[in-house]
Amino acid sequence: MAESFVIALITGLVSSAGTIAALKTDINWIKKVQQDQETRIRKLEEHNHG
């Protein structure tokens, strides 16, 4: 009984770690996309006002 509980606990922890790593990657990608969009908008604004 205890052995299966330990296995389930370890599996859960590994799964959580994988999920956190994936979320961090997604968040970094989203930040990069937002920065690229901001740069494009600034260029457009400079072009229109210049």
Side-chain angles (χ1 to χ4, degrees), residues 1-45:
M1 183 80 181
E3 189 177 314
S4 60
F5 176 75
V6 170
I7 292 169
L9 183 66
I10 292 169
T11 304
L13 290 173
V14 170
S15 176
S16 296
T19 301
I20 291 166
L23 282 173
K24 282 185 176 179
T25 302
D26 286 349
I27 290 167
N28 287 335
W29 182 80
I30 290 167
K31 283 182 184 175
K32 185 181 183 310
V33 168
Q34 284 181 331
Q35 286 172 349
D36 289 348
Q37 285 180 336
E38 282 180 29
T39 304
R40 286 184 193 166
I41 290 167
R42 283 200 186 104
K43 284 180 182 174
L44 283 171
E45 287 175 346

